[in-house]
Amino acid sequence: MKTNYEPKPAFVERISKLLNDNKEDIKVFFESAKTQPKKAFRCNTIKISPEELIKRLEEKGWKISQPLPGQKEIMIIESSLQPGESGKTKEHLLGYYYIQEITSMMPVIALNLDKNDIFLDCCAAPGSKTTQAAALMENKGIIIANDLSIGRISILSANLERQGITNTIITRHDFLQLSKKLKELNMKFNKILVDAPCSGEGNIRLSPSTYLNWSEGLLNKLSGKQKRIAEAAFQLLEENGEMVYSTCSYAPEENEEVIQHLLNTYKDKIKIETIKLPIKSRPGITKWKNKKFSEEIQKACRIYHHDNDMEGFFVCKIKKLK
Amino acid sequence: MKIIYSSEKKKIIEKLNEQYGISKLPYLLIKFGEDKIRIYSGSLSNEELNTLASKLNIENIGLYFAKEEKDGIRLTLDGIQILKQQITKNIIEIDDNQAEDWLRGNDLDIQTKRGFLILKNNNEFLGCGKSTGERIANFVPRERRVK
């Protein structure tokens, strides 16, 4: 099925520009796009230790690796499984692990959460990052996880239940409306995640149908929405609080342009933080078409799928200054 | 939603102790609807939660832990997972075949005492069922069943 989907010429052209017209890099990017990444998952440390989980899964004949030395909870299934097999085990049903792409774990890793944090997950469904955050916070602190659609919230709720998450409040609001209400309540957060709704360019390996709906018009439309969400989220940060903005897109309109918008809007109240991720990433770009971005945006991380044999992501951490 | 205050919480713990041996519930208890009890471990106080609830569309708080029924408290699969270290009463051991059947959502034809029971297989707690004496009714949520 997936081989029926082909990138549009404008998409190829844009990726080529992002990869500095490096022919080898472009070739590897598109060859890799036609393959599937390895199946990754995250051990739910609220319920089981990584060692115990590995022991149990290996008893099923699975070969498990832990690709990131500092993150024992992050695992890859090296053996080949039947379609859907990883989601049918007793261990999955009981919430001992959560199937999640490794790049999608990076925004929460960048936030460096702990159990005293007051954390807002602005666009939380289906809950991959909320459950990861709750585990890092040991089910303590405060998490507000928001989404708009009832259907997506029902998936979010089910995932939180299965993972044994007890410290989270799920709200259902358009995020701009939520931001307004939280401001009225004078509620501030020291950690915020804006994992913004995006074009999904970075997910083409797992969802090649993304090519079908892709257009530059869509990117521009999303960019406007993302700027409004990021701006509304930044207003909820307390002084010295940190916010991670992420998308699973390569498009500068959805990434650097949004960060530049925050820099222009909040000027001396905002600073981009350096982040060190445990996987290969490239710096944010400073020029796209006729637009120039701040040199500071190079501190953002562009994660290309072919650099890590994973999916693509953009992660940028910003701090609110006094 | 309604926050369950200390006197009512005490009664719930007494019932849980009588039914399952659970004596500690270090969570804030919140009732959703008539009979669903959720547990919350976050650091917001009762007052803060009430304030939030008055302004926001709150879909859920914490974890759905138990349901109060006419003839006792039924623990959810996830509630059992959280409190499994404390559960000592009304446990029924099932074998691997029965466990597989149970996780597929089937009732189990087992003759045992009537009432709510916690099903256990090889040190794994697999949920709560209700026995008629001849059969244990399955409450594993549809979306959580092994297909």
Side-chain angles (χ1 to χ4, degrees), chain A residues 62-139:
Chain A
W62 293 15
K63 190 164 180 279
I64 305 294
S65 68
Q66 291 162 292
L68 310 178
Q71 268 88 23
K72 285 185 171 181
E73 74 279 14
I74 298 176
M75 301 180 188
I76 283 178
I77 306 168
E78 300 286 352
S79 39
S80 62
L81 304 181
Q82 295 295 315
E85 189 179 343
S86 58
K88 290 178 182 170
T89 65
K90 186 162 73 176
E91 287 74 15
H92 184 258
L93 182 139
L94 294 174
Y96 293 165
Y97 63 87
Y98 190 102
I99 298 166
Q100 184 181 5
E101 239 295 304
I102 291 180
T103 44
S104 139
M105 302 177 198
M106 295 301 122
V108 169
I109 288 175
L111 266 177
N112 200 20
L113 288 155
D114 78 34
K115 57 187 175 187
N116 299 312
D117 284 330
I118 304 172
F119 171 55
L120 173 64
D121 191 348
C122 303
C123 316
S128 318
K129 297 170 189 76
T130 316
T131 53
Q132 183 186 4
L136 290 169
M137 291 167 69
E138 299 171 27
N139 255 339

Coordinates of all heavy atoms in Angstrom, one line a residue, chain A residues 62-139:
Chain A
W62 N 11.0 -12.2 22.2 CA 11.4 -10.9 21.6 C 12.8 -10.6 21.9 O 13.3 -10.8 23.0 CB 10.5 -9.8 22.2 CG 9.0 -9.9 21.9 CD1 8.3 -11.0 21.4 CD2 8.0 -8.9 22.0 NE1 7.0 -10.7 21.2 CE2 6.8 -9.4 21.6 CE3 8.1 -7.6 22.5 CZ2 5.6 -8.7 21.7 CZ3 6.9 -6.8 22.5 CH2 5.7 -7.4 22.1
K63 N 13.4 -9.9 20.9 CA 14.8 -9.4 21.2 C 14.6 -7.9 21.4 O 14.1 -7.2 20.5 CB 15.7 -9.7 19.9 CG 17.1 -9.4 20.2 CD 18.0 -10.1 19.1 CE 19.5 -9.8 19.3 NZ 19.9 -8.5 18.8
I64 N 15.1 -7.4 22.5 CA 14.9 -6.0 22.9 C 16.2 -5.3 23.0 O 17.2 -5.9 23.6 CB 14.2 -5.9 24.3 CG1 12.8 -6.7 24.3 CG2 13.9 -4.5 24.7 CD1 11.8 -6.2 23.3
S65 N 16.3 -4.1 22.5 CA 17.5 -3.3 22.7 C 17.1 -2.0 23.4 O 16.0 -1.5 23.3 CB 18.3 -3.0 21.4 OG 17.5 -2.2 20.6
Q66 N 18.1 -1.4 24.1 CA 17.9 -0.1 24.7 C 18.9 0.9 24.0 O 20.1 0.9 24.4 CB 18.2 -0.2 26.2 CG 17.1 -1.0 26.9 CD 17.6 -1.4 28.3 OE1 18.5 -2.3 28.4 NE2 17.0 -0.9 29.4
P67 N 18.5 1.6 23.0 CA 19.4 2.3 22.1 C 20.0 3.5 22.7 O 21.1 4.0 22.2 CB 18.5 2.7 20.9 CG 17.1 2.8 21.4 CD 17.1 1.7 22.5
L68 N 19.4 4.1 23.8 CA 19.9 5.3 24.3 C 20.5 5.1 25.7 O 19.7 4.8 26.6 CB 18.9 6.4 24.4 CG 18.1 6.6 23.0 CD1 17.0 7.7 23.2 CD2 19.0 7.0 21.9
P69 N 21.8 5.1 25.9 CA 22.4 4.7 27.2 C 21.8 5.5 28.4 O 21.6 4.8 29.5 CB 23.9 5.1 27.0 CG 24.1 5.1 25.6 CD 22.8 5.6 25.0
G70 N 21.4 6.7 28.3 CA 20.9 7.5 29.5 C 19.4 7.2 29.7 O 18.9 7.7 30.7
Q71 N 18.8 6.6 28.8 CA 17.3 6.4 28.9 C 17.0 4.9 28.8 O 16.6 4.4 27.8 CB 16.6 7.2 27.8 CG 16.2 8.6 28.2 CD 17.2 9.6 27.9 OE1 18.1 9.4 27.1 NE2 17.2 10.7 28.6
K72 N 17.1 4.2 30.0 CA 16.8 2.8 30.0 C 15.4 2.4 29.6 O 15.1 1.3 29.3 CB 17.2 2.2 31.3 CG 18.7 2.1 31.6 CD 19.0 1.4 32.9 CE 20.4 1.1 33.0 NZ 20.7 0.4 34.3
E73 N 14.5 3.3 29.9 CA 13.1 3.0 29.6 C 12.7 3.0 28.1 O 11.7 2.5 27.7 CB 12.2 4.0 30.4 CG 12.1 5.4 29.8 CD 13.2 6.3 30.2 OE1 14.2 5.8 30.7 OE2 13.1 7.6 30.0
I74 N 13.6 3.5 27.3 CA 13.3 3.6 25.9 C 13.9 2.3 25.2 O 15.1 2.0 25.3 CB 13.9 4.9 25.2 CG1 13.3 6.1 25.9 CG2 13.8 4.9 23.7 CD1 13.9 7.4 25.4
M75 N 13.0 1.6 24.5 CA 13.4 0.3 24.0 C 13.0 0.2 22.5 O 12.0 0.8 22.0 CB 12.7 -0.8 24.8 CG 13.2 -0.7 26.2 SD 12.4 -2.0 27.2 CE 12.9 -1.5 28.9
I76 N 13.7 -0.8 21.8 CA 13.3 -1.1 20.4 C 13.1 -2.6 20.4 O 13.9 -3.4 21.0 CB 14.5 -0.6 19.5 CG1 14.4 0.9 19.3 CG2 14.4 -1.4 18.2 CD1 15.5 1.4 18.4
I77 N 12.1 -3.0 19.6 CA 12.0 -4.4 19.3 C 12.8 -4.8 18.1 O 12.5 -4.3 17.0 CB 10.5 -4.8 19.1 CG1 9.6 -4.3 20.3 CG2 10.3 -6.3 18.9 CD1 8.1 -4.3 20.0
E78 N 13.8 -5.6 18.3 CA 14.7 -5.9 17.2 C 14.2 -7.1 16.4 O 14.6 -7.2 15.2 CB 16.2 -6.2 17.8 CG 16.8 -5.0 18.5 CD 17.3 -3.9 17.6 OE1 17.3 -4.1 16.4 OE2 17.7 -2.9 18.2
S79 N 13.4 -7.9 17.0 CA 13.0 -9.1 16.3 C 11.7 -8.7 15.5 O 11.0 -7.7 15.7 CB 12.6 -10.2 17.3 OG 12.0 -9.7 18.4
S80 N 11.5 -9.5 14.4 CA 10.3 -9.2 13.6 C 9.1 -9.9 14.2 O 9.1 -11.0 14.6 CB 10.5 -9.7 12.2 OG 10.6 -11.1 12.2
L81 N 8.0 -9.1 14.4 CA 6.8 -9.6 15.0 C 5.7 -9.6 13.9 O 5.8 -9.0 12.9 CB 6.3 -8.6 16.1 CG 7.3 -8.3 17.2 CD1 6.7 -7.4 18.3 CD2 7.8 -9.6 17.9
Q82 N 4.6 -10.3 14.3 CA 3.4 -10.3 13.4 C 2.8 -8.9 13.5 O 2.9 -8.2 14.5 CB 2.4 -11.3 14.0 CG 2.8 -12.7 13.9 CD 3.0 -13.2 12.5 OE1 2.2 -13.0 11.6 NE2 4.1 -13.9 12.2
P83 N 2.1 -8.4 12.4 CA 1.4 -7.1 12.5 C 0.5 -7.0 13.7 O -0.3 -7.9 14.0 CB 0.6 -7.1 11.2 CG 1.3 -8.1 10.3 CD 1.9 -9.1 11.1
G84 N 0.7 -6.0 14.4 CA -0.2 -5.7 15.6 C 0.2 -6.5 16.8 O -0.4 -6.3 17.9
E85 N 1.2 -7.4 16.7 CA 1.6 -8.2 17.9 C 2.0 -7.5 19.1 O 1.6 -7.8 20.2 CB 2.7 -9.2 17.5 CG 3.0 -10.3 18.5 CD 4.1 -11.2 18.1 OE1 4.4 -11.3 16.9 OE2 4.6 -11.9 18.9
S86 N 2.7 -6.4 18.9 CA 3.2 -5.6 20.1 C 2.0 -5.0 20.9 O 2.2 -4.6 22.1 CB 4.2 -4.6 19.7 OG 3.6 -3.7 18.8
G87 N 0.9 -4.8 20.2 CA -0.2 -4.2 20.9 C -1.2 -5.2 21.5 O -2.2 -4.8 22.1
K88 N -0.9 -6.5 21.4 CA -1.8 -7.5 21.8 C -1.3 -8.3 23.1 O -2.0 -9.2 23.5 CB -2.0 -8.5 20.7 CG -2.8 -8.0 19.5 CD -3.0 -9.0 18.5 CE -3.7 -8.5 17.2 NZ -3.6 -9.4 16.1
T89 N -0.2 -7.9 23.6 CA 0.3 -8.7 24.7 C -0.4 -8.4 26.0 O -0.9 -7.3 26.2 CB 1.8 -8.4 24.9 OG1 2.0 -7.1 25.3 CG2 2.6 -8.7 23.6
K90 N -0.2 -9.2 27.0 CA -0.7 -9.0 28.3 C 0.0 -7.7 28.9 O -0.7 -6.9 29.6 CB -0.5 -10.2 29.2 CG -1.1 -10.1 30.6 CD -1.3 -11.5 31.2 CE 0.1 -12.0 31.7 NZ 0.0 -13.3 32.4
E91 N 1.3 -7.6 28.6 CA 2.0 -6.5 29.2 C 1.5 -5.2 28.7 O 1.5 -4.2 29.4 CB 3.5 -6.7 28.9 CG 4.2 -7.8 29.7 CD 3.9 -9.2 29.2 OE1 3.3 -9.4 28.1 OE2 4.1 -10.2 30.0
H92 N 1.1 -5.2 27.4 CA 0.6 -4.0 26.8 C -0.7 -3.6 27.4 O -1.0 -2.5 27.8 CB 0.5 -4.1 25.3 CG 0.1 -2.8 24.6 ND1 -1.2 -2.6 24.2 CD2 0.7 -1.7 24.4 CE1 -1.3 -1.4 23.6 NE2 -0.2 -0.8 23.8
L93 N -1.6 -4.7 27.5 CA -2.9 -4.5 28.0 C -2.9 -4.0 29.5 O -3.7 -3.2 29.9 CB -3.6 -5.9 28.0 CG -5.0 -6.0 28.5 CD1 -5.8 -6.8 27.5 CD2 -5.1 -6.5 29.9
L94 N -1.9 -4.4 30.2 CA -1.8 -4.0 31.6 C -1.0 -2.7 31.8 O -0.8 -2.2 32.9 CB -1.1 -5.1 32.5 CG -1.9 -6.4 32.6 CD1 -1.2 -7.5 33.3 CD2 -3.3 -6.1 33.3
G95 N -0.6 -2.1 30.7 CA 0.1 -0.8 30.7 C 1.5 -0.8 31.1 O 2.0 0.2 31.6
Y96 N 2.2 -1.9 30.9 CA 3.6 -2.0 31.3 C 4.5 -1.3 30.2 O 5.6 -0.9 30.5 CB 4.1 -3.4 31.4 CG 3.5 -4.1 32.6 CD1 3.5 -5.5 32.7 CD2 2.8 -3.4 33.6 CE1 2.9 -6.2 33.8 CE2 2.3 -4.1 34.7 CZ 2.3 -5.4 34.8 OH 1.7 -6.1 35.8
Y97 N 4.0 -1.1 29.0 CA 4.7 -0.3 28.1 C 3.8 0.5 27.1 O 2.6 0.2 27.1 CB 5.7 -1.2 27.2 CG 5.1 -2.2 26.4 CD1 4.7 -2.0 25.1 CD2 5.0 -3.5 26.8 CE1 4.2 -3.0 24.3 CE2 4.5 -4.6 26.0 CZ 4.1 -4.3 24.7 OH 3.6 -5.2 23.9
Y98 N 4.4 1.5 26.5 CA 3.6 2.4 25.6 C 4.3 2.4 24.3 O 5.5 2.8 24.2 CB 3.5 3.8 26.2 CG 2.5 4.7 25.6 CD1 1.3 4.9 26.1 CD2 2.8 5.3 24.4 CE1 0.4 5.8 25.5 CE2 1.9 6.1 23.7 CZ 0.7 6.4 24.3 OH -0.2 7.2 23.7
I99 N 3.6 2.1 23.2 CA 4.2 2.1 21.9 C 4.4 3.5 21.4 O 3.3 4.2 21.3 CB 3.4 1.2 20.9 CG1 3.4 -0.2 21.4 CG2 4.0 1.3 19.5 CD1 2.4 -1.1 20.7
Q100 N 5.6 3.9 21.2 CA 5.8 5.4 20.8 C 7.1 5.5 20.1 O 8.1 4.9 20.4 CB 5.9 6.2 22.1 CG 6.0 7.7 22.0 CD 6.1 8.4 23.3 OE1 6.2 7.8 24.4 NE2 6.2 9.7 23.2
E101 N 7.1 6.3 19.0 CA 8.3 6.5 18.2 C 9.3 7.3 19.1 O 8.9 8.1 19.9 CB 7.9 7.4 17.0 CG 8.2 6.8 15.7 CD 9.6 6.7 15.4 OE1 10.4 7.7 15.5 OE2 10.1 5.6 15.1
I102 N 10.6 6.9 18.9 CA 11.6 7.5 19.8 C 11.7 9.0 19.6 O 11.8 9.8 20.6 CB 13.0 6.9 19.6 CG1 12.9 5.4 20.1 CG2 14.1 7.6 20.3 CD1 14.2 4.6 20.0
T103 N 11.6 9.5 18.4 CA 11.7 11.0 18.2 C 10.5 11.7 18.9 O 10.7 12.8 19.4 CB 11.6 11.4 16.7 OG1 10.6 10.6 16.0 CG2 13.0 11.1 16.1
S104 N 9.4 11.0 19.0 CA 8.2 11.7 19.7 C 8.5 11.8 21.2 O 7.7 12.5 21.9 CB 7.0 10.9 19.3 OG 6.1 10.7 20.4
M105 N 9.5 11.1 21.7 CA 9.8 11.2 23.1 C 10.7 12.4 23.4 O 10.9 12.8 24.6 CB 10.5 9.9 23.6 CG 9.7 8.6 23.4 SD 10.6 7.2 23.9 CE 9.8 5.8 23.1
M106 N 11.3 13.0 22.4 CA 12.3 14.0 22.6 C 11.8 15.3 23.2 O 12.4 15.9 24.0 CB 13.0 14.3 21.2 CG 13.8 13.2 20.7 SD 15.1 12.6 21.9 CE 14.7 10.9 22.1
P107 N 10.6 15.8 22.8 CA 10.1 17.0 23.4 C 10.0 16.9 25.0 O 10.4 17.9 25.7 CB 8.7 17.2 22.8 CG 8.8 16.5 21.5 CD 9.7 15.3 21.7
V108 N 9.5 15.8 25.5 CA 9.4 15.7 26.9 C 10.8 15.5 27.6 O 11.1 16.1 28.6 CB 8.5 14.5 27.3 CG1 8.6 14.1 28.8 CG2 7.1 14.8 26.9
I109 N 11.7 14.8 26.9 CA 13.1 14.7 27.4 C 13.7 16.1 27.5 O 14.3 16.5 28.5 CB 13.9 13.8 26.5 CG1 13.5 12.3 26.7 CG2 15.4 13.9 26.7 CD1 14.1 11.3 25.8
A110 N 13.4 16.9 26.5 CA 14.0 18.3 26.4 C 13.4 19.1 27.6 O 14.1 20.0 28.1 CB 13.6 19.0 25.1
L111 N 12.2 18.8 28.1 CA 11.6 19.6 29.2 C 12.2 19.3 30.5 O 12.1 20.1 31.5 CB 10.1 19.4 29.2 CG 9.2 20.3 28.4 CD1 7.8 19.9 28.5 CD2 9.4 21.8 28.9
N112 N 12.9 18.1 30.6 CA 13.6 17.8 31.9 C 12.6 17.9 33.1 O 12.9 18.7 34.0 CB 14.8 18.8 32.0 CG 15.8 18.2 33.0 OD1 15.8 17.0 33.3 ND2 16.6 19.1 33.5
L113 N 11.5 17.2 33.1 CA 10.5 17.3 34.1 C 10.9 16.7 35.4 O 11.6 15.7 35.4 CB 9.2 16.7 33.6 CG 8.5 17.5 32.5 CD1 7.6 16.5 31.6 CD2 7.6 18.6 33.1
D114 N 10.4 17.2 36.5 CA 10.5 16.4 37.8 C 9.2 16.5 38.6 O 8.2 17.2 38.2 CB 11.7 16.8 38.6 CG 11.6 18.2 39.3 OD1 10.4 18.5 39.7 OD2 12.6 18.9 39.4
K115 N 9.2 15.9 39.7 CA 7.9 15.7 40.4 C 7.3 16.9 41.0 O 6.2 16.9 41.5 CB 8.0 14.6 41.4 CG 9.1 14.8 42.5 CD 9.2 13.5 43.3 CE 10.4 13.7 44.3 NZ 10.7 12.5 45.0
N116 N 8.1 18.0 41.0 CA 7.5 19.3 41.6 C 6.9 20.2 40.5 O 6.5 21.3 40.8 CB 8.6 20.0 42.4 CG 9.1 19.2 43.5 OD1 8.3 18.6 44.3 ND2 10.4 19.0 43.6
D117 N 7.0 19.8 39.3 CA 6.6 20.7 38.2 C 5.1 20.9 38.1 O 4.3 20.0 38.5 CB 7.2 20.2 36.9 CG 8.7 20.4 36.8 OD1 9.1 21.4 37.3 OD2 9.4 19.6 36.1
I118 N 4.8 22.0 37.5 CA 3.4 22.3 37.2 C 3.4 22.4 35.6 O 4.0 23.3 35.0 CB 3.0 23.7 37.8 CG1 3.2 23.7 39.3 CG2 1.5 24.0 37.4 CD1 3.0 25.0 39.9
F119 N 2.8 21.4 35.0 CA 3.1 21.1 33.6 C 1.8 21.2 32.8 O 0.8 20.6 33.2 CB 3.7 19.7 33.5 CG 3.8 19.2 32.0 CD1 4.4 20.0 31.1 CD2 3.3 18.0 31.7 CE1 4.5 19.5 29.8 CE2 3.4 17.5 30.4 CZ 4.0 18.3 29.4
L120 N 1.8 21.9 31.7 CA 0.7 22.0 30.8 C 1.0 21.4 29.5 O 2.0 21.8 28.8 CB 0.3 23.5 30.6 CG -0.8 23.8 29.6 CD1 -2.2 23.2 30.0 CD2 -1.0 25.3 29.4
D121 N 0.2 20.4 29.1 CA 0.3 19.8 27.8 C -0.8 20.3 26.9 O -2.0 19.9 27.1 CB 0.3 18.2 27.9 CG 0.7 17.5 26.7 OD1 0.8 18.1 25.6 OD2 0.9 16.3 26.8
C122 N -0.5 21.2 26.0 CA -1.5 22.0 25.4 C -2.4 21.2 24.4 O -3.6 21.5 24.3 CB -0.9 23.2 24.6 SG 0.1 24.3 25.7
C123 N -1.7 20.3 23.7 CA -2.5 19.6 22.6 C -2.1 18.1 22.9 O -1.2 17.5 22.3 CB -2.0 20.0 21.2 SG -1.9 21.8 21.0
A124 N -2.8 17.5 23.9 CA -2.2 16.3 24.5 C -2.6 15.0 23.9 O -1.8 14.0 24.0 CB -2.7 16.3 26.0
A125 N -3.7 14.9 23.2 CA -4.1 13.6 22.7 C -3.2 13.1 21.6 O -2.6 14.0 20.9 CB -5.5 13.6 22.1
P126 N -2.9 11.8 21.5 CA -3.4 10.7 22.2 C -2.8 10.4 23.5 O -3.2 9.4 24.2 CB -3.2 9.5 21.2 CG -1.9 9.9 20.5 CD -1.9 11.4 20.4
G127 N -1.8 11.2 24.0 CA -1.3 11.0 25.3 C 0.1 10.4 25.5 O 0.5 10.1 26.6
S128 N 0.8 10.2 24.3 CA 2.1 9.7 24.4 C 3.0 10.5 25.3 O 3.7 10.0 26.2 CB 2.8 9.7 23.0 OG 1.9 9.3 22.0
K129 N 2.9 11.8 25.1 CA 3.9 12.7 25.8 C 3.3 13.0 27.2 O 4.1 13.1 28.2 CB 4.1 14.0 25.0 CG 4.8 13.7 23.7 CD 4.8 14.8 22.8 CE 5.3 14.4 21.4 NZ 4.3 13.7 20.6
T130 N 2.0 13.0 27.4 CA 1.5 13.2 28.8 C 1.9 12.0 29.6 O 2.3 12.2 30.8 CB -0.1 13.2 28.7 OG1 -0.5 14.1 27.6 CG2 -0.6 13.8 30.0
T131 N 1.7 10.8 29.1 CA 2.1 9.6 29.9 C 3.6 9.5 30.2 O 4.0 9.2 31.3 CB 1.6 8.3 29.2 OG1 2.1 8.2 27.9 CG2 0.1 8.2 29.2
Q132 N 4.4 10.0 29.2 CA 5.8 10.0 29.4 C 6.1 11.0 30.6 O 7.0 10.8 31.4 CB 6.5 10.4 28.1 CG 8.0 10.4 28.2 CD 8.6 11.0 26.9 OE1 7.9 11.4 26.0 NE2 9.9 11.0 26.8
A133 N 5.5 12.2 30.5 CA 5.7 13.2 31.5 C 5.3 12.7 32.9 O 6.0 12.9 33.9 CB 4.9 14.5 31.1
A134 N 4.1 12.1 32.9 CA 3.6 11.7 34.3 C 4.6 10.6 34.9 O 4.8 10.6 36.1 CB 2.2 11.0 34.1
A135 N 5.1 9.8 34.0 CA 6.1 8.8 34.6 C 7.3 9.5 35.1 O 7.8 9.2 36.2 CB 6.5 7.8 33.5
L136 N 7.8 10.5 34.4 CA 9.0 11.2 34.8 C 8.7 12.0 36.1 O 9.6 12.2 36.9 CB 9.5 12.2 33.7 CG 10.1 11.5 32.5 CD1 10.4 12.5 31.4 CD2 11.5 10.8 32.9
M137 N 7.5 12.4 36.2 CA 7.1 13.2 37.4 C 6.6 12.2 38.6 O 6.1 12.7 39.6 CB 5.9 14.2 37.1 CG 6.4 15.3 36.2 SD 5.1 16.3 35.4 CE 4.4 17.1 36.8
E138 N 6.7 10.9 38.3 CA 6.4 9.9 39.3 C 4.9 10.1 39.8 O 4.6 9.9 41.0 CB 7.4 9.9 40.5 CG 8.8 9.6 40.0 CD 9.8 9.8 41.1 OE1 9.4 9.7 42.3 OE2 11.0 10.1 40.8
N139 N 4.0 10.5 38.9 CA 2.6 10.7 39.3 C 2.4 11.7 40.3 O 1.4 11.7 41.1 CB 2.0 9.4 39.7 CG 1.1 8.8 38.7 OD1 0.6 9.4 37.8 ND2 0.8 7.5 38.8

